[in-house]
């Protein structure tokens, strides 16, 4: 199920962000983030924003991944001026 992130996700997210194999496959950065950087990201994901939302993917309440939808807005809406 898709659920909002929870503060207790921090340890797993930190482990994922510092896994060399996952980092190589899913990121354009090569350095490992510090725990405070991962904590700030998680806090931002929990708080949400106007143009992005991040959900945790859970099976039996266990976090197995996450998905992000960014740049949410009115794409393709044209204004006609007469």
């Amino acid at each position: 199920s898709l659920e909002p992130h929870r503060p207790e996700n921090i340890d797993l997210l930190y482990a994922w962000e510092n896994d060399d194999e996952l980092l190589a496959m899913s990121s354009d950065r090569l350095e490992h983030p510090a725990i405070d950087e991962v904590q700030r990201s998680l806090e931002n994901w929990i708080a949400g924003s106007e143009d992005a939302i991040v959900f945790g993917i859970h099976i039996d309440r266990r976090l197995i991944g996450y998905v992000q939808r960014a740049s949410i807005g009115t794409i393709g809406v044209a204004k006609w001026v007469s």
Side-chain angles (χ1 to χ4, degrees):
S1 65
L2 295 179
E3 300 175 19
H5 273 293
R6 298 183 291 269
E8 60 266 22
N9 291 350
I10 186 64
D11 292 333
L12 189 51
L13 290 171
Y14 181 68
W16 289 344
E17 292 291 327
N18 283 282
D19 181 286
D20 289 330
E21 189 175 354
L22 288 176
L23 196 63
M25 290 188 302
S26 65
S27 181
D28 55 354
R29 62 188 276 184
L30 298 176
E31 70 276 358
H32 297 277
I35 186 72
D36 60 328
E37 185 179 347
V38 176
Q39 180 69 41
R40 278 192 305 274
S41 293
L42 179 59
E43 289 169 357
N44 289 336
W45 294 348
I46 291 171
S49 71
E50 290 183 16
D51 69 341
I53 189 166
V54 182
F55 286 107
I57 303 169
H58 295 83
I59 293 180
D60 297 327
R61 306 245 339 130
R62 185 175 64 90
L63 183 66
I64 63 161
Y66 59 92
V67 62
Q68 176 177 346
R69 174 65 173 108
S71 300
I72 300 169
T74 54
I75 298 172
V77 176
K79 290 186 178 181
W80 296 96
V81 179
S82 53

